[in-house]
Amino acid sequence: MPATVDTKEQVEALAKRRYAFGFSTDIEMDQAPKGLSEDTIRFISAKKFEPSWMLEWRFKAFARWQKMTEPHWAKLSYPPIDYQDAYYYAAPKSDSDRPENLDEVDPKLLATYTKLGIPLREQELLAGVKNARPVAIDAVFDSVSVATTFKKTLAEGGVIFCPISEAIRDYPELVQKYLGSVVPVSDNYFACLNSAVFTDGSFVYIPKGVHCPMELSTYFRINAENTGQFERTLIVVEDGGYVSYLEGCTAPQRDKNQLHAAVVELVAMDDAEIKYSTVQNWYPGDEQGRGGIYNFVTKRGLCSGRRAKIMWTQVETGSAITWKYPGCILKGDDSVGEFYSVAITNNRQQADTGTKMLHLGKNTRSRIIAKGISAGHADQTYRGAVTVAAGAHGAKNFTQCDSLLIGNQCGAHTVPYITAKNPNSEIEHEASTSKISEDKLFYCRQRGIPEEVAVGIIVNGFCREVMQTLPMEFAVEAQKLVSISLEGSIG
Amino acid sequence: MLEIHDFQVSVQDQPILRGIDLNVPDGEVHAIMGPNGSGKSTLCYALSGRDGYEVFAGSAMLGEVDLLELEPEDRASAGLFLAFQYPIEVPGVTMTTFLREALNAQRRYRGEEPVAPMEFVQLMRQAAGTIGLNPEMLKRQVNVGFSGGEKKRNEMLQMAVLKPSLVVMDETDSGLDIDALKEVSHGVNRLRDQGRSFLLITHYQRLLDYITPDRVHVLAGGRIVDSGDASLALTLEANGYTDYQLSAA
């Protein structure tokens, strides 16, 4: 058994080793005044040089939000959030001069991304492993996008990949048409808050028949203290188009909780396909549950056209609190929605996560594979809704929901909501809960594999079906992350 | 070589092994035979350090290494390999991943660099050849959906890759038909080597028709009650364990 660690320094050193992204960047910031008011919203809108329709949209959302109350139906417990005790906009000062290219970006920012393992210089991106496919990256630092790579290469194929703040200025028609079309402004409390104060995120537009030539990726970094991040992402794929998009997230280690309330909307037309992958590694808080990100996220995809396909894959290892249900509205006939999830909670982390599949069109299909791993004192709930509307003849759903418990202090819960209004639909739900058995661990250890490594291998095996759906470039990283998240969970 | 002295083990506070002395010199194959409940599996697990098997007296040395001071994984890295009676399934983990992790963990323990990818591929192919296994098996998940015979041959394959100095085989013959038994025995014989000792735990003589031991020991009532050369196994086959059980009781 591991030796007892008894000094405070040693404990801290251990905690730091486990969350490798806990550093912060000392950079001069431009911040909105503390608190949330119409003035804050005006400030954000002005910083982004937004047209007046956008400001009006935000005001409307804010008015709605003020009449709403925070939902508490999820199996999560946390002290009340004081929305006036936070900053809603923070940007590196150097960004106000709007860098035209990477040479003008503050070297400290570039260094931060290098430290996170995200090279933003295109030549560095390409200089990696031989045969590696390039990945275009949009990097969002607190409330602003600091760099977007490969924009030119993408533009040649008609693909638009830019910060959403830029899209609002440059492609107002597209944004006005689709923003809020999948997640309405007042969909829920956190989505409404996001609509009022969102700062940055990515916009992707794939024209008709275009197969996006590279993986697109947005990397979200919260750096400033006591600041919320309100990411907004919108992806629209026209008939027959295809895109694979990945988002990654990290934040410094801070004692106070920080709020991240994101909205992501996807629209897929006839025969369009969107693959959206998330590797969420926000700071989870320490062993006692101090600090960490509160992650309240609304993600939804609309299969608007026939045979459209949307696939969500998420690997959730971070955040103190996760409240997240990426879903699909299967409106087009024969459209397909898939949800693959690995959620890991350790120490005092809490996660209430799952998906919503709404079958509207005929012969629509959905597939849900959710793997939950709980360790330490963590608590995790899978919450999933499968709804088949009266007109959805021949709709089919398959749900498989497996929980793995490590130790005897953690919890796992499964809450499925199933509504079938069409008699010609099929819904299948399978669920299992298991523990990492002593005989599996002993078998690995007898081959020389140390106990903690063995846990990582067994858990990765448990998640294999989901990991396989990640783009290859990220699967290896995600596997490492799974092992790291569970360090210290045994013994 | 393996040297066990006055080895006493209890399980859930029940004494099972009551003082075992055993020497297995380098390169020798020793068989331990005994009736059900004599402590054969306990000996395997106690040597490899499984939780729940408490060694309350005695010593167990593998060469210069005191096994009892080490965690199970370190005993493995020090050269002890246990071929399981019932190999465990590890869903979602391919044989290749599992073996690479095991080999690299052992190399790390010995202060060596991780194995190079090409070298590893060759090592696996070679090992599969030695055991007479289709290399396609390496793409499958550890023991998942394997037949009884495949599981046992898979243990031999792992042995061939990890190259231990002491192999403890826990009733490897159980549940095997005669063809599978021959194949597994053939694999063991090919892995016999001057630097490798074997401890074969078995209930029946039939395994010893294919693997000729240097010594045979009879375990009954938690003690070694008789030792002899390969012919002792044949005597046991003819007379059974009744005499020993009476004397041990």
Side-chain angles (χ1 to χ4, degrees):
Chain A
M1 292 299 104
T4 315
V5 181
D6 48 13
T7 70
K8 195 165 168 275
E9 285 80 356
Q10 277 171 302
V11 172
E12 278 169 3
L14 267 172
K16 275 185 191 130
R17 183 171 57 85
R18 275 178 214 142
Y19 190 73
F21 310 105
F23 65 90
S24 60
T25 307
D26 186 13
I27 193 161
E28 219 182 328
M29 296 301 281
D30 191 3
Q31 265 184 328
K34 205 179 204 176
L36 181 52
S37 63
E38 287 206 350
D39 284 342
T40 316
I41 293 167
R42 207 170 276 121
F43 180 95
I44 293 170
S45 193
K47 280 284 170 195
K48 306 274 180 196
F49 302 99
E50 283 178 358
S52 57
W53 61 266
M54 195 67 246
L55 180 63
E56 288 307 316
W57 201 80
R58 288 174 180 277
F59 280 156
K60 267 186 209 157
F62 183 55
R64 295 289 286 271
W65 181 75
Q66 284 174 304
K67 291 186 196 120
M68 295 169 94
T69 48
E70 198 182 299
H72 288 285
W73 44 259
K75 199 176 162 6
L76 302 168
S77 81
Y78 53 93
I81 300 169
D82 183 353
Y83 293 91
Q84 295 304 336
D85 187 34
Y87 294 96
Y88 287 82
Y89 180 90
K93 261 218 168 108
S94 55
D95 185 68
S96 36
D97 312 327
R98 324 224 126 252
E100 289 298 316
N101 59 54
L102 278 176
D103 293 329
E104 291 173 25
V105 173
D106 191 320
K108 267 190 191 167
L109 276 176
L110 291 179
T112 300
Y113 282 93
T114 305
K115 209 164 158 186
L116 294 168
I118 326 257
L120 292 180
R121 291 186 181 276
E122 293 177 10
Q123 64 270 34
E124 284 169 21
L125 279 163
L126 290 167
V129 193
K130 206 164 66 175
N131 299 331
R133 279 178 298 157
V135 177
I137 295 174
D138 183 16
V140 177
F141 195 82
D142 290 323
S143 311
V144 290
S145 168
V146 293
T148 308
T149 62
F150 290 105
K151 271 166 96 168
K152 258 191 202 152
T153 320
L154 290 168
E156 283 162 18
V159 172
I160 302 172
F161 179 43
C162 67
I164 195 142
S165 50
E166 203 174 301
I168 290 166
R169 295 190 301 269
D170 298 349
Y171 311 99
E173 280 151 33
L174 282 173
V175 175
Q176 268 181 297
K177 185 170 174 192
Y178 294 110
L179 192 73
S181 69
V182 187
V183 178
V185 166
S186 55
D187 184 81
N188 68 71
Y189 187 78
F190 298 106
C192 193
L193 173 65
N194 173 286
S195 302
V197 300
F198 75 84
T199 42
D200 229 331
S202 299
F203 174 72
V204 177
Y205 179 79
I206 311 286
K208 207 167 170 174
V210 172
H211 189 284
C212 186
M214 58 180 87
E215 298 277 341
L216 303 185
S217 171
T218 301
Y219 198 85
F220 293 93
R221 172 77 177 165
I222 296 180
N223 185 63
E225 206 161 356
N226 208 10
T227 300
Q229 190 178 57
F230 302 91
E231 129 199 21
R232 186 95 197 187
T233 289
L234 175 61
I235 299 177
V236 179
V237 180
E238 297 283 7
D239 293 353
Y242 167 87
V243 69
S244 169
Y245 175 95
L246 181 125
E247 60 162 25
C249 342
T250 60
Q253 196 157 344
R254 301 201 189 275
D255 291 341
K256 260 190 112 173
N257 297 107
Q258 280 175 285
L259 184 62
H260 172 87
V263 173
V264 173
E265 296 176 279
L266 314 180
V267 182
M269 308 299 184
D270 285 356
D271 299 296
E273 185 174 343
I274 303 176
K275 197 173 160 181
Y276 190 107
S277 316
T278 305
V279 176
Q280 186 263 108
N281 186 24
W282 294 121
Y283 176 54
D286 66 10
E287 280 83 348
Q288 278 72 46
R290 279 186 305 252
I293 301 292
Y294 286 172
N295 194 32
F296 294 97
V297 173
T298 306
K299 289 184 170 172
R300 198 171 300 150
L302 172 66
C303 285
S304 146
R306 294 171 62 101
R307 294 171 302 275
K309 184 175 175 186
I310 289 178
M311 179 169 144
W312 296 101
T313 299
Q314 58 171 24
V315 177
E316 305 275 321
T317 62
S319 296
I321 302 265
T322 300
W323 181 99
K324 183 182 170 188
Y325 317 90
C328 297
I329 301 170
L330 304 169
K331 187 177 158 210
D333 290 349
D334 301 297
S335 61
V336 178
E338 293 181 358
F339 174 76
Y340 297 92
S341 169
V342 169
I344 299 181
T345 46
N346 195 2
N347 297 318
R348 304 273 172 180
Q349 281 176 275
Q350 302 173 61
D352 192 302
T353 183
T355 182
K356 287 202 266 187
M357 292 291 177
L358 176 58
H359 293 257
L360 298 175
K362 292 188 187 75
N363 300 315
T364 46
R365 280 166 293 145
S366 64
R367 183 177 165 83
I368 300 169
I369 308 286
K371 306 275 182 179
I373 299 112
S374 236
H377 290 82
D379 214 3
Q380 191 175 126
T381 302
Y382 166 81
R383 192 181 299 277
V386 176
T387 309
V388 177
H393 299 287
K396 272 188 195 166
N397 160 265
F398 174 76
T399 300
Q400 187 186 325
C401 181
D402 299 317
S403 308
L404 187 66
L405 303 175
I406 301 174
N408 50 14
Q409 306 285 313
C410 53
H413 319 271
T414 303
V415 190
Y417 304 83
I418 298 170
T419 315
K421 291 184 182 157
N422 185 297
N424 295 318
S425 59
E426 276 176 42
I427 297 175
E428 261 183 274
H429 182 99
E430 289 178 9
S432 77
T433 302
S434 54
K435 292 189 101 171
I436 288 197
S437 62
E438 187 271 340
D439 58 357
K440 278 196 188 69
L441 273 179
F442 178 66
Y443 191 64
C444 294
R445 294 178 79 188
Q446 209 302 307
R447 297 300 183 249
I449 302 170
E451 193 168 25
E452 289 214 326
V453 179
V455 170
I457 292 171
I458 294 167
V459 171
N460 268 309
F462 173 77
C463 306
R464 180 183 163 91
E465 214 179 335
V466 174
M467 293 300 196
Q468 279 177 328
T469 66
L470 279 175
M472 229 230 306
E473 292 88 335
F474 304 104
V476 178
E477 283 305 307
Q479 281 176 12
K480 279 190 210 152
L481 194 56
V482 165
S483 305
I484 292 167
S485 315
L486 288 168
E487 270 180 22
S489 63
I490 287 258
Chain B
M1 72 158 169
L2 177 70
E3 256 190 289
I4 301 175
H5 180 62
D6 189 31
F7 199 57
Q8 299 185 41
V9 180
S10 64
V11 179
Q12 290 177 335
D13 294 327
Q14 292 293 313
I16 306 289
L17 298 181
R18 298 160 187 272
I20 291 197
D21 290 277
L22 189 65
N23 282 334
V24 187
D26 287 344
E28 288 197 5
V29 175
H30 286 209
I32 295 198
M33 300 181 71
N36 292 328
S38 58
K40 298 194 299 293
S41 284
T42 299
L43 178 61
C44 299
Y45 290 139
L47 281 176
S48 48
R50 189 166 191 166
D51 282 346
Y53 294 82
E54 196 206 341
V55 180
F56 60 92
S59 64
M61 303 289 291
L62 180 60
E64 299 295 305
V65 178
D66 183 350
L67 289 176
L68 303 184
E69 287 202 336
L70 301 180
E71 292 289 334
E73 51 268 39
D74 296 341
R75 295 184 196 197
S77 297
L80 170 75
F81 182 94
L82 172 63
F84 283 62
Q85 184 178 2
Y86 303 108
I88 309 296
E89 296 183 3
V90 192
V93 180
T94 62
M95 283 302 304
T96 311
T97 303
F98 183 73
L99 272 172
R100 192 194 300 112
E101 291 285 349
L103 184 63
N104 282 337
Q106 296 204 7
R107 290 172 73 115
R108 205 158 35 240
Y109 180 83
R110 295 192 292 260
E112 298 165 15
E113 290 292 308
V115 63
M118 279 316 290
E119 193 191 334
F120 181 68
V121 170
Q122 276 175 351
L123 206 63
M124 299 268 281
R125 280 212 196 110
Q126 211 174 32
T130 306
I131 305 302
L133 266 179
N134 185 346
E136 282 299 301
M137 187 163 164
L138 298 166
K139 294 180 185 162
R140 291 168 61 183
Q141 300 174 19
V142 180
N143 291 320
V144 177
F146 285 25
S147 70
E150 281 176 328
K151 282 185 180 172
K152 300 292 168 75
R153 285 161 76 191
N154 182 20
E155 297 289 284
M156 300 302 111
L157 172 82
Q158 295 177 44
M159 187 202 304
V161 171
L162 298 173
K163 301 188 170 65
S165 57
L166 172 71
V167 178
V168 179
M169 294 175 62
D170 187 9
E171 307 216 22
T172 295
D173 49 338
S174 70
L176 292 188
D177 61 28
I178 199 75
D179 292 330
L181 184 67
K182 275 185 192 168
E183 280 167 359
V184 168
S185 306
H186 177 68
V188 171
N189 287 327
R190 293 193 66 173
L191 291 166
R192 282 177 80 159
D193 176 301
Q194 277 314 303
R196 182 169 298 137
S197 324
F198 284 83
L199 196 57
L200 307 182
I201 312 285
T202 181
H203 190 82
Y204 300 107
Q205 142 71 20
R206 61 173 199 162
L207 176 68
L208 306 181
D209 287 340
Y210 305 99
I211 308 171
T212 314
D214 295 294
R215 300 282 294 166
V216 174
H217 309 277
V218 180
L219 181 65
R223 288 191 179 89
I224 291 193
V225 291
D226 201 359
S227 295
D229 60 18
S231 65
L232 178 58
L234 296 168
T235 317
L236 280 171
E237 183 76 358
N239 302 344
Y241 294 109
T242 324
D243 294 348
Y244 295 115
Q245 277 167 301
L246 287 174
S247 65

